């Protein structure tokens, strides 16, 4: 049974998201550790003001340009991403012509199927990484976690991989394979954020719809414009800007000695 959340609760949106995750955890889509990872994300979202920041927008433009320039883009989907943004991921895959592939750290046949079923329920026609040829089709070299198992037609052959809620090891391994990675991670300090080609420091519930609409807007733009966008982008600089925003916000808040109820920014976009 899902919890009734009063619409006027000051943190209604955040509570609804938690309920969604718990619901999918009970169905075996979200791993136990996925709930903990979400808590870490929420903490950073709080620090960022729970809204899409200017550095996140800049990263989104570069990410959209990379996806439109890619020959074989793939979106890697784990339990949390499937629980939080299933139809948004399907929409993104259509707009940029990317394949959807299930890839799990806590991997079991049952969970792979459960995550794929959520994507299919959201309209995905073909999900890679589960069953058939995708069954352990290939492995990422020098990676010990179960996330090394990839589809030969998907991540293994991809040139650009979208990795929402990823772990740092695999981003490094994908980089060694010559792939470009687009991470979505609320923690600008994580190894994932630091290692990815482009990191969108934002909540996945805001970042994926923003990425889709930005890609839609850029579709049809000349390749020279897309190349200029990716050429001008520097992930370290943009991550530094996200960290700077947190520092500035904390400096302001520390001076007001306000309680969280008095802090002005608590906005949360709905998917
Ligand atoms: P790394 O291996 O990259 O250093 P980690 O060990 O912190 O990272 P995980 O424990 O797998 O990695 O955590 C997943 C990451 O996802 C965390 O950095 C967390 O901030 C982020 N995260 C969790 N929920 C969300 C969300 N809804 N949107 C965006 N990022 C999120």
């Amino acid at each position: 049974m899902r919890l009734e959340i009063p619409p006027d609760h000051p943190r209604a949106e955040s509570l609804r998201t938690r309920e969604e995750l718990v619901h999918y955890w009970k169905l075996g889509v979200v791993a136990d550790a996925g709930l903990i990872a979400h808590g870490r994300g929420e903490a950073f979202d709080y620090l960022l003001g729970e809204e899409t920041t200017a550095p996140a927008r800049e990263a989104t433009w570069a990410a959209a340009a990379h996806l439109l320039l890619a020959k074989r883009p793939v979106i890697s989907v784990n339990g949390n991403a499937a629980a939080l943004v299933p139809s948004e991921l399907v929409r993104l895959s259509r707009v940029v012509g990317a394949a959807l592939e299930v890839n799990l750290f806590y991997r079991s046949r049952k969970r792979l199927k459960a995550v794929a079923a959520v994507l299919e329920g959201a309209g995905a026609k073909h999900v890679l990484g589960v069953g058939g040829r995708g069954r352990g089709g290939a492995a990422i070299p020098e990676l010990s976690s179960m996330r090394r198992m990839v589809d030969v037609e998907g991540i293994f052959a991809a040139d650009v991989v979208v990795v929402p809620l990823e772990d740092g090891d695999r981003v490094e391994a994908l980089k060694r394979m010559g792939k470009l990675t687009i991470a979505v991670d609320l923690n600008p300090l994580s190894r994932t954020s630091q290692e990815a080609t482009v990191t969108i420091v934002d909540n996945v519930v805001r970042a994926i719809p923003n990425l889709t609409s930005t890609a839609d807007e850029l579709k049809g733009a000349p390749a020279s414009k897309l190349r200029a966008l990716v050429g001008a982008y520097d992930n370290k600089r943009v991550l530094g800007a996200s960290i700077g925003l947190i520092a500035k916000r904390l400096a302001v808040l520390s001076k007001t000695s306000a309680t969280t109820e008095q802090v002005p920014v608590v906005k949360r976009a709905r998917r």
Side-chain angles (χ1 to χ4, degrees), residues 75-103:
I75 304 169
S76 176
V77 184
N78 71 358
N80 283 40
L84 292 177
V85 280
S87 45
E88 292 81 352
L89 289 170
V90 173
R91 214 168 298 135
L92 174 64
S93 77
R94 289 203 183 120
V95 168
V96 300
L100 288 161
E101 176 168 340
V102 182
N103 185 270

Side-chain angles (χ1 to χ4, degrees), residues 47-218:
L47 296 177
L48 285 157
E50 294 179 299
E51 62 179 2
T52 300
T53 63
R57 286 189 201 285
E58 185 178 350
T60 302
W61 283 98
H66 270 300
L67 283 169
L68 294 171
L69 286 168
K71 290 197 170 56
R72 289 189 79 146
V74 173
I75 304 169
S76 176
V77 184
N78 71 358
N80 283 40
L84 292 177
V85 280
S87 45
E88 292 81 352
L89 289 170
V90 173
R91 214 168 298 135
L92 174 64
S93 77
R94 289 203 183 120
V95 168
V96 300
L100 288 161
E101 176 168 340
V102 182
N103 185 270
L104 306 175
F105 192 92
Y106 299 97
R107 183 184 167 101
S108 70
R109 290 286 315 142
K110 208 169 150 201
R111 271 195 77 222
L112 285 173
K113 280 190 172 169
V115 174
V118 173
L119 292 174
E120 282 156 6
K125 293 275 173 287
H126 186 51
V127 179
L128 298 172
V130 213
R133 292 170 69 182
R135 199 177 221 149
I140 298 175
E142 300 166 55
L143 187 64
S144 53
S145 80
M146 289 312 281
R147 291 204 99 161
R148 73 181 182 279
M149 307 306 295
V150 289
D151 197 303
V152 277
E153 290 174 2
I155 291 171
F156 193 76
D159 52 352
V160 177
V161 189
V162 183
V163 286
L165 321 182
E166 185 60 61
D167 65 284
D169 283 4
R170 198 168 73 121
V171 172
E172 280 179 45
L174 290 171
K175 197 165 149 185
R176 283 196 296 273
M177 289 173 81
K179 300 180 194 304
L180 302 182
T181 48
I182 295 166
V184 179
D185 193 330
L186 279 159
N187 176 4
L189 303 167
S190 74
R191 287 170 313 140
T192 300
S193 289
Q194 297 290 330
E195 291 297 327
T197 315
V198 176
T199 307
I200 302 172
V201 178
D202 200 4
N203 198 314
V204 79
V205 303
R206 296 185 295 266
I208 299 296
N210 284 341
L211 182 53
T212 308
S213 56
T214 305
D216 219 10
E217 203 177 320
L218 275 180

